[in-house]
Amino acid sequence: MGNREHEIYDVVGIGFGPSNLSLAIALEEHAAADPDNEISALFFERQPTFGWHRNMLLPTTTMQISFLKDLVTFRNPTSSFSFIAYLHASGRLPQFVNNQDFFPTRQEFHQYLEWAQARVADRIAYDSDVTSIRLPRGAVPELSDRLRLEVADANGRAGRVVEARNVVISTGLVPSMPEGTERDERVWHSSEFLEKYRRMDPRELRRVAVAGAGQSAAEITRFLYDELPHAQVWSVIPSYGYSVADDTPFANQVFDLEAVDDYYFGTEQTREAFWRYHRNTNYSVVDDDVIRDLYRRSYDDEVRGVSRLKFLNLTRITGVKRVGAETRVSLQGGPDAEVSELDFDALVCATGYEAMEPTGLLGDLDRLCLRDEAGRYRVERDYRIVTAPEARCGIYLQGGTEHTHGLTSSLLSNIAVRSGEIVDSIAARRAGHDVEQAVLAEVGGDTR
């Protein structure tokens, strides 16, 4: 990678989950197809190793999308990085086919992601936290074609500095907790569930609660019921009950590639219709089989005359406090919106996530990023933030673009194609820059 004081890359990726992993693969395949125009790249990830929702790799849980919506197939069906290629390399392709299932377990899909990242590991720096992005020191904004990134190590020590002509930000979603609720050793967000659960003595968990109405909430409720046969499991649901996810063929067209264009170039009325009619494909909904699993467990409890699985419908958490070893939860619900308190040994908040927000990372550079009337980033069709004319570098987002690109922005469904579009954009911008430099060289100028 050369002298670290002068590392310069065409693109630096910030965060290394599935989205930027897909981008790294797209860059690898771009270089293989056009060796004379390789795009130099480096990815920084604050975690010590690759991991994607590790704390939700519950037994028997499956993916909610087809295995064909992997890191590459919709962009390049012949790619050696496909899920099918992984199965072949693992010696399990015939067995997977015999299983006759489009939806692998989450554990197996995670193994696929780890296999893929190992093949591009030379592009990744783990234990590396990008702390700031700015213009190079002394640079005149309208003349600078680079950004300067400062990177801290696992201990928070700064030291590494790189420059990039483009950055691709994919730092992931931000866990959301109920208002007034703070995480501690007995109050967890679903994103940390298995890690926190494994620290506990299961015998101490006699009364546990799970808040939320989506897939993660239902899966955790089922897991706790099965894992803790001595415990009561309470499901705190803001709706009247779990709502089924619409994964029927016509509804699933909202995740098709063409739907991104329909959303991006659509009117405000069109975009509103997308959300109004199709939120139930992904948001606060649960797969039919999980709902039926939980209902069957609840019904079997009634048959046996026990009361282990309890549902608090139309209820939300309004406060949490510690009372001795107990977690006292204030709940508001029912037709009269009465407030009651219940004590639990643990509370799991499967209450979703906030969209990725890169404002803090961009710092002063944010003033050059243009926003719409609602204060959200304006984003080009190629996922590049619209910037003031003097910002000549590309700042791309993988996430946080629901307002411009629609429902797939935070999902796996479109990452293969999106990564290809970003690579094509970076390659085109670099080609234009090279032409500009050649013209300036002929007249004795230079923008660097």
Side-chain angles (χ1 to χ4, degrees):
M1 294 182 183
N3 186 333
R4 288 192 170 183
E5 292 182 354
H6 302 285
E7 290 180 79
I8 302 173
Y9 296 91
D10 291 314
V11 56
V12 166
I14 304 171
F16 201 74
S19 292
N20 268 350
L21 170 54
S22 180
L23 178 65
I25 294 168
L27 289 166
E28 188 97 349
E29 294 183 341
H30 176 273
D34 189 2
D36 293 332
N37 290 295
E38 180 177 359
I39 298 173
S40 60
L42 180 64
F43 295 84
F44 291 109
E45 168 55 51
R46 67 176 62 179
Q47 294 187 98
T49 59
F50 181 85
W52 176 68
H53 294 308
R54 285 187 179 275
N55 286 306
M56 283 301 295
L57 298 180
L58 306 179
T60 74
T61 53
T62 60
M63 298 295 293
Q64 293 176 275
I65 59 170
S66 164
F67 68 88
L68 292 172
K69 291 186 174 182
D70 57 18
L71 297 166
V72 294
T73 296
F74 274 35
R75 174 182 57 80
N76 176 15
T78 64
S79 174
S80 68
F81 285 87
S82 70
F83 185 77
I84 293 294
Y86 157 73
L87 289 173
H88 178 69
S90 303
R92 290 201 305 274
L93 182 55
Q95 295 95 316
F96 183 85
V97 172
N98 290 340
N99 202 36
Q100 299 183 17
D101 197 337
F102 265 74
F103 306 99
T105 65
R106 213 171 283 161
Q107 181 68 53
E108 183 175 31
F109 199 80
H110 195 278
Q111 290 175 0
Y112 157 63
L113 297 176
E114 291 179 309
W115 169 83
Q117 72 85 33
R119 297 178 59 191
V120 294
D122 60 325
R123 294 177 180 262
I124 314 164
Y126 288 106
D127 269 332
S128 300
D129 186 14
V130 176
T131 56
S132 73
I133 308 172
R134 63 183 68 173
L135 295 173
R137 291 193 182 102
V140 179
E142 62 270 19
L143 299 180
S144 177
D145 67 347
R146 299 175 189 166
L147 295 170
R148 176 186 175 94
L149 290 82
E150 296 184 355
V151 187
D153 63 17
N155 297 314
R157 294 190 298 263
R160 187 170 188 176
V161 176
V162 302
E163 292 187 0
R165 297 181 177 89
N166 302 276
V167 296
V168 182
I169 302 173
S170 183
T171 51
L173 301 170
V174 180
S176 176
M177 295 289 286
E179 187 175 353
T181 304
E182 301 292 336
R183 287 184 277 180
D184 61 26
E185 69 275 9
R186 297 288 181 126
V187 179
W188 318 327
H189 188 267
S190 56
S191 61
E192 56 187 351
F193 173 67
L194 280 179
E195 178 187 354
K196 290 294 185 69
Y197 175 77
R198 287 167 179 161
R199 292 180 187 174
M200 301 294 298
D201 181 346
R203 294 171 298 182
E204 295 181 3
L205 298 175
R206 300 171 304 279
R207 287 165 57 90
V208 294
V210 182
Q215 182 77 11
S216 294
E219 288 177 349
I220 291 172
T221 300
R222 181 177 63 178
F223 173 84
L224 291 171
Y225 180 91
D226 293 346
E227 289 287 311
L228 303 172
H230 59 281
Q232 288 185 337
V233 180
W234 298 64
S235 177
V236 182
I237 308 175
S239 55
Y240 199 74
Y242 297 114
S243 297
V244 68
D246 187 351
D247 62 353
T248 52
F250 286 114
N252 268 342
Q253 289 180 124
V254 76
F255 302 118
D256 288 354
L257 312 181
E258 295 82 3
V260 176
D261 280 338
D262 291 338
Y263 190 92
Y264 186 87
F265 295 109
T267 64
E268 286 301 317
Q269 291 80 3
T270 300
R271 295 181 180 188
E272 181 185 348
F274 264 89
W275 289 102
R276 184 169 66 251
Y277 290 115
H278 299 294
R279 282 187 64 88
N280 65 341
T281 57
N282 181 67
Y283 296 91
S284 296
V285 288
V286 182
D287 287 347
D288 179 79
D289 62 321
V290 180
I291 292 176
R292 293 184 183 277
D293 279 353
L294 284 171
Y295 192 86
R296 170 57 64 181
R297 285 159 172 75
S298 177
Y299 182 77
D300 288 347
D301 274 0
E302 288 195 33
V303 172
R304 295 194 307 269
V306 298
S307 183
R308 287 191 51 224
L309 186 54
K310 298 175 177 291
F311 295 95
L312 296 176
N313 299 331
L314 296 176
T315 302
R316 62 187 182 90
I317 293 174
T318 58
V320 177
K321 60 185 176 182
R322 176 75 61 241
V323 180
E326 302 293 332
T327 297
R328 182 159 296 171
V329 180
S330 296
L331 302 162
Q332 186 174 43
D336 300 321
E338 297 178 352
V339 176
S340 60
E341 292 185 333
L342 291 174
D343 290 342
F344 297 102
D345 298 306
L347 168 66
V348 186
C349 296
T351 44
Y353 296 83
E354 301 292 340
M356 180 182 78
E357 176 50 70
T359 301
L361 184 62
L362 292 172
D364 290 342
L365 195 62
D366 185 68
R367 63 184 173 82
L368 300 178
C369 300
L370 305 187
R371 296 178 180 265
D372 63 17
E373 294 179 354
R376 303 167 300 191
Y377 288 116
R378 291 172 53 192
V379 185
E380 301 280 10
R381 176 59 183 81
D382 61 3
Y383 300 93
R384 183 166 48 91
I385 293 178
V386 179
T387 54
E390 58 266 33
R392 299 166 57 86
C393 303
I395 303 172
Y396 294 82
L397 299 179
Q398 295 232 60
T401 59
E402 289 87 350
H403 62 292
T404 53
H405 290 71
L407 279 73
T408 60
S409 293
S410 61
L411 307 178
L412 291 175
S413 294
N414 197 34
I415 61 172
V417 172
R418 181 173 68 201
S419 295
E421 291 174 341
I422 292 174
V423 170
D424 289 344
S425 174
I426 291 171
R429 284 167 52 80
R430 191 178 73 164
H433 175 268
D434 289 346
V435 170
E436 179 185 2
Q437 291 297 313
V439 171
L440 287 170
E442 289 183 6
V443 298
D446 194 340
T447 63
R448 288 174 295 178

